[in-house]
Amino acid sequence: MIPITRPVLGGAETIAATRVIRSGWITQGPEVAAFEAEFAARVGAAHACAVANCTVALQLALIVVGVGPGDEVILPSHTYIACANAVRHCGATPVFVDVEPGGFNIDPEAIAEAITSRTRAIMCVHQIGMPCDLARILPIARAMGVPVIEDAACAIGSRIEVQGRWEEIGKPHGDIACFSFHPRKILTVGDGGMITTSNPEWDHRLRLLRQHGMSVPDTVRHASPRPIVESYPIVGYNYRLTDIQAAIGRAQLNRLDDIVASRRSLAARYRVLLRDIAVECPEEPAWARSNWQSYCVRLPRDVSAYEVMAQMLVDGVATRRGVMCIHQEAAYADAPTPHRLFFSERAREECILLPLFPRMSERMQRRVALTLDAAIAKTRRSIAMPFVVPPATQRGLAF
Ligand SMILES: *Cc1c(COP(=O)(O)O)cnc(C)c1O
């Protein structure tokens, strides 16, 4: 069986976790501070704040830029549901817009059309690691005075060209960027998140919010020769990352260059192996360098993605459906969808993710290509089929 992914974890992570357990300080403390500093240095950010996962990172990002009840947040529907959940948890309304015709990222023109006097933020997603078109999104947002939150859950190690120089996603280029350390992402600590920004006041507020609104963090209190009594100026949350996770994250960060280099060469090889197969391979714009968190191919119109996936599973190759559409889920059945979402729905129906993970051999990739080719041939029909997920299998197919 060829799995969809396999996290890169080894001796360095085991040693790091053991070191923290032996130290006697296991939740947010010195390791979190060190992880934040190393992460900020890596992406070129002024500030990095670690939190429990990317969903709460997005929620806190929305809060500090001022999103609250009654506000609208523009975001793609063609993304993971956590994006809209974060908006709803702020009491705000998600306004879904379409993706670009050939790709999986938000269409900048659709953003311009959806902005109203109630728009309080734009959440753009670097979907499955492919940078979205910030060079076109940011001028639209700045002209309207709307902050941009980058969902970089999958995008650590991806780059964009800015005025002739390659820069890391997360600098951030918008106002705030949010990352995930779930095992399906590039780096993992089990579950974890990181928020980067250039704004020191927002960073300060993020740190208050993630730890109960506490004025003085326990690291400072413990290091003080005199007793410090903290105060609670605002209503906060407990969204802390633990020191055990942060230590694992530091070990993971040391592997980032190798992981991205490996993923990039695997993606390049897929492109060659799939050349004569009836699928559309993803395109990387000249100004972007993807980390290829997922390799998403578009199937021909006369097969059902579900049937191709089922056939490949029988043949020993795990796949996943492509990116979901939030507006098609029951949880968002009541969300107004005034904007066209045609290319989103089409991408959801036509695309599947192929296995891609560091240390995947050329032989495995060849087998994936052959299996995909055979599955398409075997399931081809005379009429195009919609993407239908039978309810009984929905859980097994989930993200
Ligand atoms: C994974 C993912 C999230 C959620 O990240 P968690 O760390 O699991 O909360 C949010 N947005 C996108 C685009 C993702 O891929």
Side-chain angles (χ1 to χ4, degrees), residues 23-242:
S23 78
W25 186 318
I26 55 174
T27 195
Q28 181 184 293
E31 291 286 341
V32 165
F35 185 33
E36 290 170 340
E38 289 162 15
F39 194 95
R42 166 69 207 218
V43 299
H47 308 280
C49 175
V51 289
N53 55 65
C54 186
T55 308
V56 300
L58 292 168
Q59 187 193 351
L60 295 189
L62 290 164
I63 292 171
V64 299
V65 304
V67 173
D71 293 333
E72 291 177 358
V73 176
I74 295 173
L75 76 164
S77 169
H78 192 56
T79 181
Y80 190 51
I81 197 162
C83 299
N85 290 347
V87 173
R88 278 271 170 91
H89 290 320
C90 296
T93 305
V95 175
F96 298 121
V97 299
D98 213 353
V99 292
E100 292 180 298
F104 312 115
N105 277 331
I106 195 164
D107 181 351
E109 274 169 40
I111 295 176
E113 287 161 19
I115 290 181
T116 72
S117 58
R118 288 183 302 281
T119 306
R120 204 51 194 264
I122 294 164
M123 186 191 291
C124 58
V125 184
H126 303 295
Q127 199 59 257
I128 54 176
M130 184 67 79
C132 62
D133 197 348
L134 290 168
R136 285 170 63 212
I137 295 166
L138 295 179
I140 295 167
R142 300 224 159 107
M144 302 300 291
V146 179
V148 172
I149 294 167
E150 295 171 57
D151 179 340
C154 299
I156 180 69
S158 294
R159 295 179 178 185
I160 54 171
E161 197 175 16
V162 182
Q163 288 159 353
R165 291 205 352 228
W166 286 98
E167 294 184 346
E168 300 272 333
I169 291 295
K171 206 172 167 270
H173 298 91
D175 295 279
I176 298 188
C178 300
F179 295 85
S180 172
F181 305 121
H182 180 273
R184 268 293 271 135
K185 318 297 174 164
I186 299 290
L187 307 181
T188 187
V189 305
D191 263 307
M194 191 70 81
I195 312 170
T196 59
T197 183
S198 311
N199 184 320
E201 278 130 55
W202 286 346
D203 182 64
H204 177 67
R205 246 180 100 72
L206 291 168
R207 285 167 197 285
L208 284 177
L209 286 168
R210 74 168 169 184
Q211 181 160 244
H212 307 292
M214 187 192 287
S215 63
V216 184
D218 20 22
T219 36
V220 175
R221 280 190 283 115
H222 282 259
S224 168
R226 267 163 297 134
I228 297 181
V229 179
E230 79 280 10
S231 59
Y232 296 87
I234 60 172
V235 178
Y237 302 85
N238 176 1
Y239 287 168
R240 283 183 299 243
L241 189 74
T242 69

